[in-house]
Amino acid sequence: MTQDMLLGNEEPSKSKETFLEKFCVLAKSANGAALLDVIRQALEAPNVFVFGELLAEPNVAQLKGGPDAKYLETLNLFAYGTYKEYRAQPEKFIELSPAMQKKLQHLTIVSLAIKAKSIPYALLLSELDIDNVRHLEDIIIEAIYADIIHGKLFQNTRILEVDYAQGRDIPPGYTGQIVETLQAWVNSCDSVSNCIEMQIKYANAEKSKRLLNKERVEQDLINLKKVLKSQASDSDESMQIDTHGPGTSGGLGLGPSELRKKPSKLRNPRSSAVGLKFGK
């Protein structure tokens, strides 16, 4: 046996035969010991793991409160109960044959697999009233080959990982709880849907704001570029007027020829004075 065993990988059969049907047909016309024998055969049958249709038969329902009520209680146990319940009050039920005990243990594994996908060996040992791990693994493998569970055994960590578990019969009155659970799930889905819609609306509003802001910023940039271009053009025209227009020499109103002549008149004023002195 390997350290971990992958078993029951195949998808559960979609067209599995209803093996209980023949027992329902027999129960319709059976009474007394014949009816009790039909019930025992159904409880031992290797391919029968649901019993709701048989429990619904009038002849079977009439066993309630009678001398053979234990048969009805045992049938209810196999439909809805577990092996631990049987071990707690064995006097309430008929004496189970080895085949019946093993089937009830298999059904107990199914009940555990429906509740959790990872089942420790310790829990299985307790629920099945087994003190031997090898025996426990054999029972699990038998349940897998019976196609009521699929899973993988991890011997190192002592865990059964469940991939699939067959459903069991629904107890009377449990339908209301299922409806409440489904309604709560629907309400939760509606709340999540409403929350998502609100988030979508908020995101769309924020997107619109960002687009408007982007357009405003782009328009401001265009206007700023126009202003800067206009100022640059005015500055170029001003520089051209100051460079080529009249009075560019400091505002004295002198042309280039006057600027050349002026210094000659002011040059060497002392020489003129000396010349006047010698003239006398």
Side-chain angles (χ1 to χ4, degrees), residues 193-212:
S193 178
N194 292 335
C195 181
I196 292 174
E197 289 180 1
M198 291 177 63
Q199 292 295 327
I200 291 173
K201 290 180 181 179
Y202 175 78
N204 289 337
E206 288 297 314
K207 181 180 179 181
S208 299
K209 289 180 181 179
R210 289 189 178 92
L211 289 175
L212 290 174

Side-chain angles (χ1 to χ4, degrees), residues 191-230:
S191 298
V192 172
S193 178
N194 292 335
C195 181
I196 292 174
E197 289 180 1
M198 291 177 63
Q199 292 295 327
I200 291 173
K201 290 180 181 179
Y202 175 78
N204 289 337
E206 288 297 314
K207 181 180 179 181
S208 299
K209 289 180 181 179
R210 289 189 178 92
L211 289 175
L212 290 174
N213 186 56
K214 180 181 178 183
E215 292 176 359
R216 184 169 58 253
V217 170
E218 290 177 348
Q219 187 61 44
D220 290 344
L221 287 174
I222 293 173
N223 294 337
L224 181 60
K225 288 179 180 179
K226 289 181 179 179
V227 171
L228 293 175
K229 185 176 181 181
S230 176

Side-chain angles (χ1 to χ4, degrees), residues 245-275:
T248 58
S249 60
L252 296 177
L254 300 177
S257 59
E258 292 174 335
L259 289 173
R260 285 195 298 270
K261 292 178 182 180
K262 192 71 175 178
S264 63
K265 291 181 180 181
L266 298 176
R267 190 180 300 165
N268 296 329
R270 292 183 179 179
S271 63
S272 300
V274 172

